[in-house]
Amino acid sequence: MAAGSARIVRYILFAFFGVMVLYFMSSSSIPRPPLSTTDLPSWKSEQEKTPPGAPAGDVQAPPPLTVEKVAEAPSTASAPAASAPALTSPKQSNDAPSSPTHPVVETSGERMNATFVTLARNSDLWEIVKSIRQVEDRFNRKFHYDWVFLNDKPFDESFKNVTTSLISGKTHYGEIAQEHWSFPDFIDTDRARKTREDMAQRKIIYGDSISYRHMCRFESGFFFLHPLMQKFEWYWRVEPSIELYCDIDYDTFKYMRDHGKKYSFVLSLYEYVETIPKLWDSVKTFIKDHPEHIAEDNSMQFLSDDNGETYNHCHFWSNFEIGNLNWLRSQAYTDYFNQLDKDGGFFYERWGDAPVHSIAAGLLLKKDEIHFFNDIAYYHVPFTHCPTGDQYRLDHKCHCNPKDNFDWKGYSCTSRFFDINKIEKPEGYKDQQD
């Protein structure tokens, strides 16, 4: 009886398993609907995701690259404003526009009549492309502004092709006029030679260089008059081998216009005294002869500790500048530069364009027309500007070391700029002092 019961149980189990096999065989032949793409895992990186509050797909693709060859004939026609991405910026302040989240980049809006400008030689190609990548990746891929390259010799095709391939706006290549890159007729070349020999013996940096002097004079008085620059109203100066450490998600040119700014900087320091012993004498002559050009509420306190009797050597480091070209073309600046040029200090000493621009901005502009771009994190050997504030650096994907920030060091003049403008220094600045 027990053996018969065991056989019955085995038959029942075999039958059950047989039914199950038939079921699975039949169900596997039934077509199944494809998996929805919404069910797939997302492979988009954090960097590609739309920032909070920004509409999807809000970054406009760059237009086709174009090399524009412009004849070296003066032109004063203004370029019509073209359509380009604009920005809804966060709440602004006197020292730096900032926000706890990224500003929202829109796909339409006003574009400024502006350009980048670089003085370079063909041999600088592989150093300037580093700067171009930094500027494009951190800023210009969103705005597609033009870029003007100037050289005292013609640019070769390799320089043009490589730089054009990297820039999202139009590129322009120009040669500097001979009279803007040579000794003017009123310079005593023997006296200038003796100055260079003396500076070489004293090991003053660039003291024996002729080309450096031509460069400083050109940047001080002529770059904004070049035919390629005539159609623009705003410029951003870029030099080889710079770095930008943070994303810039708003239009800096538009910020300058909207806030009444005409000159800006990111680094400031004291000039090498041996290069400009008589510069302030020329400035004082200009002040005496042209009191009508000296602005009310100017920045004399930034330049002098004794109300203009002497120069304290503070200046804005001009390898980075965003500024207004119409101001540089004004009668006030023209009279200022002509006074300095006539006195010959570019050749009889070694006047740099940084103190020349800085003194002009300090005297000819009101204090509130000069802007410190705290949020443009920048490096030019050997100094770094890294924004003070941990959260700001995180929000703007900065990769600079705050310990390298030069702003609050003893040799920087930025603290003086904050003081004369009554701007509150950012939290944490004391931690970055010497």
Side-chain angles (χ1 to χ4, degrees):
M1 183 67 181
S5 298
R7 283 196 297 273
I8 292 172
V9 171
R10 284 198 298 271
Y11 292 151
I12 292 173
L13 289 174
F14 287 148
F16 174 77
F17 284 118
V19 171
M20 292 299 295
V21 169
L22 289 174
Y23 171 77
F24 282 115
M25 289 176 64
S26 61
S27 64
S28 65
S29 64
I30 299 174
R32 294 179 63 85
L35 186 66
S36 169
T37 55
T38 59
D39 298 325
L40 292 170
S42 172
W43 299 104
K44 181 176 283 189
S45 68
E46 288 299 320
Q47 288 80 2
E48 293 173 308
K49 293 178 182 177
T50 306
D58 61 344
V59 178
Q60 188 180 35
L65 299 176
T66 305
V67 179
E68 182 174 287
K69 297 181 179 179
V70 182
E72 293 296 312
S75 170
T76 57
S78 297
S83 175
L87 178 87
T88 301
S89 62
K91 182 179 179 182
Q92 309 292 355
S93 63
N94 288 332
D95 53 337
S98 60
S99 172
T101 59
H102 293 293
V104 180
V105 180
E106 297 179 343
T107 57
S108 63
E110 180 184 14
R111 175 177 174 172
M112 300 299 294
N113 183 15
T115 185
F116 295 95
V117 61
T118 294
L119 181 62
R121 289 175 169 165
N122 292 308
S123 58
D124 295 323
L125 173 60
W126 301 112
E127 296 305 312
I128 193 58
V129 296
K130 298 175 185 177
S131 301
I132 293 171
R133 284 305 320 178
Q134 295 277 329
V135 172
E136 287 289 327
D137 292 348
R138 290 297 196 174
F139 174 80
N140 203 41
R141 64 185 177 84
K142 311 176 189 78
F143 301 102
H144 318 308
Y145 279 109
D146 288 10
W147 206 307
V148 172
F149 293 92
L150 301 175
N151 189 353
D152 65 317
K153 299 290 190 296
F155 284 106
D156 60 35
E157 291 306 308
S158 176
F159 189 101
K160 293 178 182 179
N161 291 337
V162 173
T163 52
T164 295
S165 72
L166 296 173
I167 295 169
S168 58
K170 289 183 179 180
T171 52
H172 314 261
Y173 302 88
E175 188 173 349
I176 297 168
Q178 180 66 26
E179 61 267 25
H180 294 164
W181 199 273
S182 59
F183 291 100
D185 294 340
F186 54 82
I187 291 297
D188 181 338
T189 55
D190 285 338
R191 178 183 170 188
R193 175 182 53 79
K194 291 176 181 177
T195 294
R196 296 194 302 274
E197 292 172 352
D198 174 66
M199 286 191 169
Q201 290 182 346
R202 289 188 286 147
K203 301 187 184 304
I204 295 174
I205 186 170
Y206 302 122
D208 61 344
S209 173
I210 295 176
S211 62
Y212 188 84
R213 287 171 166 83
H214 290 325
M215 182 274 289
C216 290
R217 181 172 179 256
F218 177 76
E219 293 282 22
S220 295
F222 302 117
F223 86 90
F224 45 86
L225 300 178
H226 192 280
L228 292 182
M229 297 295 291
Q230 289 289 338
K231 65 181 178 180
F232 296 107
E233 184 180 355
W234 300 91
Y235 74 100
W236 179 334
R237 178 171 164 179
V238 178
E239 294 203 353
S241 303
I242 62 102
E243 290 192 58
L244 295 180
Y245 291 119
C246 301
D247 285 350
I248 307 166
D249 293 324
Y250 67 99
D251 190 330
T252 56
F253 300 114
K254 190 171 186 295
Y255 177 87
M256 294 281 286
R257 194 276 311 273
D258 291 349
H259 293 79
K261 309 296 183 181
K262 294 184 180 178
Y263 188 81
S264 64
F265 73 101
V266 293
L267 285 164
S268 67
L269 63 158
Y270 292 92
E271 179 61 303
Y272 189 12
V273 178
E274 297 300 317
T275 65
I276 55 166
K278 295 183 179 179
L279 173 59
W280 195 249
D281 291 338
S282 284
V283 171
K284 289 169 72 174
T285 300
F286 165 75
I287 294 173
K288 179 182 177 181
D289 292 346
H290 294 283
E292 72 277 11
H293 294 327
I294 307 305
E296 295 182 4
D297 194 28
N298 59 48
S299 299
M300 178 64 84
Q301 289 177 290
F302 180 78
L303 304 170
S304 176
D305 299 331
D306 51 19
N307 199 33
E309 185 61 30
T310 60
Y311 178 36
N312 62 20
H313 307 113
C314 275
H315 69 281
F316 309 122
W317 218 23
S318 61
N319 47 66
F320 169 94
E321 295 177 322
I322 299 177
N324 183 272
L325 290 163
N326 290 335
W327 169 60
L328 292 174
R329 300 183 190 115
S330 69
Q331 190 61 52
Y333 189 88
T334 300
D335 290 342
Y336 166 79
F337 172 74
N338 287 342
Q339 175 66 57
L340 272 54
D341 198 32
K342 181 182 69 174
D343 288 344
F346 292 106
F347 301 103
Y348 300 147
E349 296 183 0
R350 205 226 65 191
W351 294 354
D353 55 280
V356 171
H357 284 191
S358 301
I359 293 170
L363 297 179
L364 308 182
L365 300 178
K366 296 178 180 179
K367 282 190 294 189
D368 62 6
E369 292 179 313
I370 303 173
H371 182 61
F372 170 58
F373 273 110
N374 178 58
D375 49 341
I376 299 182
Y378 177 83
Y379 171 79
H380 184 293
V381 63
F383 299 120
T384 296
H385 164 64
C386 186
T388 304
D390 293 343
Q391 191 58 50
Y392 182 89
R393 292 193 299 273
L394 293 174
D395 290 341
H396 292 79
K397 303 177 183 177
C398 304
H399 69 283
C400 54
N401 184 344
K403 293 182 180 178
D404 295 332
N405 186 26
F406 181 70
D407 295 349
W408 316 113
K409 310 297 185 188
Y411 202 64
S412 171
C413 294
T414 299
S415 184
R416 177 186 294 266
F417 178 83
F418 271 64
D419 290 341
I420 71 164
N421 287 281
K422 297 180 172 57
I423 301 172
E424 184 179 355
K425 295 183 178 71
E427 183 178 354
Y429 83 95
K430 291 182 179 180
D431 298 333
Q432 298 176 352
Q433 292 177 320
D434 288 334

